[in-house]
Amino acid sequence: VKIEIKKPYLVFLGDVVGEPNAKTAFGLRDWCAGDCLAEWSLDGCTIELGLKRLSPREAAAAGAKSMVIGVAAVGGVLPDQWITELIEAMRCGLDLVSGLHDRLSDNEILRETARHLGRTLYDVRHPSGPFRVANGRKRPGKRLLTVGTDCALGKKYAALALTAALRAATAAVDFRATGQTGILISGSGVALDSVVADYVAGAAEDLSPANDPSHWDVIEGQGSLFHPAYAGVTLGLIHGSQPDALVLCHDPLRRHLNEFPDYGLPDLRIAIECYLQAARLTNPRAQFVGVCLNTSKLSDTERARIFERVEHDLSLPCFDPLKQGIERVVDNILAIR
Amino acid sequence: VKIEIKKPYLVFLGDVVGEPNAKTAFGLRDWCAGDCLAEWSLDGCTIELGLKRLSPREAAAAGAKSMVIGVAAVGGVLPDQWITELIEAMRCGLDLVSGLHDRLSDNEILRETARHLGRTLYDVRHPSGPFRVANGRKRPGKRLLTVGTDCALGKKYAALALTAALRAATAAVDFRATGQTGILISGSGVALDSVVADYVAGAAEDLSPANDPSHWDVIEGQGSLFHPAYAGVTLGLIHGSQPDALVLCHDPLRRHLNEFPDYGLPDLRIAIECYLQAARLTNPRAQFVGVCLNTSKLSDTERARIFERVEHDLSLPCFDPLKQGIERVVDNILAIR
């Protein structure tokens, strides 16, 4: 089920203009800098990551294994003017990795070139299976899942930060990616929202397989139980992940669901109740260990005030992975036996 | 999104032995007898539906439009020895309809024959889209969804019985199928558990589109919120269906989830609470109108006792579509404005 990509990466920026279109590339630079050997772009590109600039040939000679398309072209399509460079990268020995909607493997020239040269094309948005129905049986190893009051408010970020903090605390830990950027960062994972519905919980089971009893899988959350379009994915991920620990992610400034103005955000206490109820179906010992608040737009005073209020209301430590507070959450996690 | 199949049917039984392998055929006979013009089988078949026996040629001459494979072969595969007869049916003018795992359209001879003759191959287990993300916007028309404490305990049956009873009460009503047998019975629908996870709620929205304010869509439920493998499908179906009315289906003799012996069944009161909580995200007016109990293995005395107990506990009318009690549920439905 899981994609496994060879590192280190050459990050390809195409001819893209505008930072919002390069979110993936910046995510790679920020979260797996050690795996990003260099960057490469075409004429007209305005993005710079600040990495060494190497051509596919130079990057391959320096040890790169895969060229990752770190940008989104308009509509998620694969622009014709990139094809020559993608073929050149394969000729130099690199696999190709894409999070675009268009599949690399649907492009006949790329597919035939890859087959001929023995390269692999990774379309991380399109999981390929084989998939299976979940069995619901508890497996050894500890698991943490980030959940949220909405989409796009920091569940991946929280999971990456917790993985790093647990590792710093010398815990045995793996980040488990469930979306395309997470998969590129960690080099493996499964794009859960693209799995056939019947197999979502089964794919989530396979994503964090049985492990040592003291090992932690930190699993990137998806969607929200309170989202009219994506809650089903969230519930399947919860059930298959069987989390021992949950972290609630929330954006205190958000007034309604992202792109769904008719839908408000749930009260945090109700969110916690609903997530626990869902998680305890497959793991009766599931518990919350902290709350991740996106406070990037708040002053220090405002942050302190909201941390205090939420900690008082929920009796859980708050943190913002970019600012402060992760230590007490890590303590809570490591206290779980 | 929705499949639309031409009726009436010739029901094809292949060379299958044993009634459990012919569940679909019996479902068709029981629930859309008027659409089943005849049956046809190969040497060695032991199943008889009691319909007129007509060859594809005779059936087509009598007005049949589609030949439906009403049996499951071992492993859901398409047996080689059926191919000649399937081609013959297309030659006689019939479309082919299958609920097998194997796709008719993956068989090159069938695909080419269909293309050449202008016939359609329907693989009802494999919805083909286009799909979209749900928008969560409330649409006019009334909707009823059957939900359950487990899989395979009568959600389709309950929905079909309620559709028939509402129609008998002269309500404007449509049955909306979400699984393969339901699709064959009604001639349209979408196999929701085979849709990519992100689009389940959107497909459920498309399945019961905007309608007259007094029109009822009776939607076949899938899975259960309390199922470790399938709850995600159930939740997406609930959110996309935006049900005004819910019916809880339960088998009072079942001691654990079907094929999941580690998982017990939820308390009916808790089940009702959880389903209402889920449904009210997209329709705050969602309410339960009745409980469907599978009492086929109970005596009349036992049935009366359990009806009385459940009605007392839940303050909802109970019914068994094969036995009694549907009238009060229909009254509850028609009282919703």
Side-chain angles (χ1 to χ4, degrees):
Chain A
V1 176
K2 264 194 289 185
I3 283 173
E4 301 279 356
I5 306 165
K6 280 184 251 146
K7 294 179 170 183
Y9 296 151
L10 171 62
V11 182
F12 180 66
L13 303 167
D15 52 357
V16 159
V17 176
E19 297 210 353
N21 295 320
K23 258 175 58 182
T24 300
F26 287 107
L28 290 173
R29 184 198 62 184
D30 292 346
W31 284 107
C32 63
D35 297 321
C36 295
L37 195 76
E39 62 183 275
W40 183 242
S41 55
L42 302 177
D43 286 350
C45 178
T46 63
I47 310 291
E48 278 184 33
L49 302 178
L51 302 175
K52 207 182 309 178
R53 186 175 157 82
L54 295 180
S55 71
R57 184 159 305 279
E58 294 162 339
K65 301 293 183 208
S66 305
M67 185 162 90
V68 177
I69 299 175
V71 287
V74 176
V77 301
L78 181 65
D80 285 341
Q81 69 271 24
W82 296 3
I83 302 291
T84 313
E85 203 66 14
L86 297 178
I87 290 172
E88 165 69 6
M90 286 195 276
R91 286 215 182 102
C92 298
L94 303 176
D95 288 338
L96 295 183
V97 189
S98 163
L100 298 174
H101 272 291
D102 270 11
R103 295 170 205 242
L104 299 175
S105 60
D106 279 348
N107 181 293
E108 198 176 331
I109 305 169
L110 295 180
R111 192 175 61 236
E112 286 307 308
T113 307
R115 201 177 54 83
H116 179 68
L117 296 171
R119 306 287 174 260
T120 307
L121 303 176
Y122 295 99
D123 288 298
V124 300
R125 204 185 272 266
H126 302 280
S128 55
F131 298 112
R132 63 170 181 85
V133 167
N135 60 45
R137 284 196 288 273
K138 190 81 186 73
R139 49 200 190 278
K142 300 280 187 299
R143 288 164 192 86
L144 181 146
L145 176 67
T146 56
V147 295
T149 53
D150 191 8
C151 301
L153 42 62
K155 290 188 288 291
K156 176 176 72 251
Y157 227 87
L160 287 163
L162 286 164
T163 304
L166 283 165
R167 191 165 287 142
T170 74
V173 59
D174 282 299
F175 170 74
R176 300 298 187 184
T178 57
Q180 50 169 338
T181 305
I183 294 169
L184 296 176
I185 290 170
S186 68
S188 76
V190 55
L192 219 64
D193 54 8
S194 301
V195 172
V196 162
D198 244 5
Y199 303 127
V200 168
E205 287 185 348
D206 287 338
L207 181 67
S208 63
N211 215 318
D212 289 341
S214 62
H215 176 278
W216 279 92
D217 274 328
V218 178
I219 304 160
E220 175 194 5
Q222 288 294 332
S224 157
L225 275 188
F226 307 94
H227 198 291
Y230 304 126
V233 176
T234 308
L235 187 57
L237 173 57
I238 293 170
H239 286 163
S241 297
Q242 307 176 348
D244 304 280
L246 292 153
V247 166
L248 182 67
C249 301
H250 179 62
D251 178 346
L253 292 181
R254 204 169 286 192
R255 288 291 156 260
H256 57 72
L257 294 189
N258 194 25
E259 296 176 16
F260 285 72
D262 297 342
Y263 286 85
L265 272 76
D267 177 88
L268 297 189
R269 258 172 299 203
I270 289 173
I272 281 182
E273 258 177 54
C274 290
Y275 277 116
L276 282 178
Q277 188 183 59
R280 286 178 175 162
L281 180 75
T282 59
N283 186 352
R285 298 180 62 183
Q287 59 178 275
F288 273 86
V289 293
V291 178
C292 176
L293 295 171
N294 184 334
T295 63
S296 49
K297 289 178 187 143
L298 301 184
S299 71
D300 287 354
T301 319
E302 289 169 324
R303 179 181 310 112
R305 197 176 303 143
I306 196 156
F307 271 41
E308 192 184 311
R309 184 166 60 74
V310 172
E311 295 194 353
H312 174 266
D313 286 356
L314 304 178
S315 305
L316 286 169
C318 290
F319 72 109
D320 180 329
L322 290 175
K323 301 286 180 180
Q324 66 182 73
I326 204 166
E327 306 77 16
R328 288 185 301 153
V329 182
V330 169
D331 290 346
N332 274 356
I333 296 167
L334 295 177
I336 295 176
R337 296 281 161 226
Chain B
V1 175
K2 266 193 290 182
I3 285 174
E4 301 279 356
I5 306 166
K6 280 184 251 148
K7 295 179 170 184
Y9 298 151
L10 172 62
V11 182
F12 180 66
L13 303 166
D15 53 356
V16 158
V17 175
E19 298 210 352
N21 295 321
K23 257 176 57 183
T24 299
F26 286 107
L28 290 173
R29 184 198 61 184
D30 292 348
W31 285 106
C32 63
D35 297 319
C36 296
L37 194 76
E39 64 185 273
W40 184 242
S41 55
L42 303 177
D43 285 351
C45 177
T46 64
I47 310 292
E48 279 185 33
L49 301 178
L51 303 175
K52 207 181 309 179
R53 186 175 158 82
L54 296 181
S55 71
R57 182 158 307 278
E58 293 162 341
K65 301 293 182 208
S66 306
M67 185 162 89
V68 176
I69 299 176
V71 289
V74 177
V77 302
L78 180 65
D80 286 340
Q81 69 271 22
W82 296 3
I83 301 292
T84 312
E85 203 67 13
L86 297 178
I87 289 172
E88 165 68 9
M90 286 194 276
R91 289 217 180 102
C92 298
L94 303 177
D95 288 338
L96 295 183
V97 189
S98 163
L100 298 174
H101 272 290
D102 271 10
R103 294 171 206 243
L104 299 175
S105 60
D106 279 348
N107 182 295
E108 201 179 329
I109 304 171
L110 293 181
R111 192 175 60 237
E112 285 307 308
T113 306
R115 199 175 55 81
H116 179 68
L117 296 172
R119 305 290 175 257
T120 306
L121 303 177
Y122 295 98
D123 288 298
V124 299
R125 202 185 274 267
H126 302 280
S128 55
F131 298 113
R132 64 171 180 86
V133 167
N135 60 43
R137 284 197 288 273
K138 191 79 187 73
R139 51 200 188 280
K142 300 278 187 303
R143 287 163 193 88
L144 180 146
L145 175 67
T146 56
V147 296
T149 54
D150 191 7
C151 301
L153 42 60
K155 290 188 289 290
K156 178 176 70 250
Y157 226 87
L160 287 163
L162 286 164
T163 305
L166 282 165
R167 191 164 288 142
T170 72
V173 59
D174 281 298
F175 170 74
R176 300 299 186 183
T178 58
Q180 49 168 337
T181 304
I183 294 170
L184 296 177
I185 289 170
S186 68
S188 75
V190 54
L192 218 65
D193 54 9
S194 301
V195 172
V196 162
D198 245 4
Y199 303 126
V200 168
E205 288 185 348
D206 287 338
L207 181 68
S208 63
N211 216 317
D212 289 340
S214 62
H215 176 277
W216 279 92
D217 273 328
V218 178
I219 305 160
E220 175 193 5
Q222 287 294 330
S224 157
L225 275 188
F226 307 93
H227 198 290
Y230 303 126
V233 176
T234 309
L235 188 57
L237 174 57
I238 293 170
H239 286 165
S241 297
Q242 306 175 348
D244 303 280
L246 292 154
V247 166
L248 181 67
C249 302
H250 178 63
D251 178 347
L253 292 182
R254 205 171 284 192
R255 288 291 156 259
H256 57 74
L257 294 188
N258 194 25
E259 296 176 15
F260 285 72
D262 297 343
Y263 286 85
L265 272 76
D267 177 89
L268 296 190
R269 259 171 301 202
I270 290 173
I272 280 180
E273 260 176 53
C274 291
Y275 277 117
L276 281 179
Q277 190 182 58
R280 286 178 176 162
L281 180 75
T282 58
N283 185 353
R285 299 180 62 182
Q287 60 177 277
F288 273 87
V289 293
V291 178
C292 175
L293 296 170
N294 184 336
T295 63
S296 51
K297 288 178 185 140
L298 301 183
S299 70
D300 287 353
T301 319
E302 289 168 325
R303 177 179 312 113
R305 198 177 303 142
I306 196 155
F307 270 41
E308 192 184 312
R309 183 165 62 72
V310 172
E311 296 195 352
H312 175 267
D313 286 356
L314 304 179
S315 305
L316 286 169
C318 291
F319 72 109
D320 180 328
L322 289 175
K323 300 288 181 181
Q324 67 181 74
I326 203 165
E327 305 76 15
R328 286 186 302 153
V329 182
V330 169
D331 290 345
N332 274 354
I333 296 168
L334 295 178
I336 294 178
R337 293 285 160 222

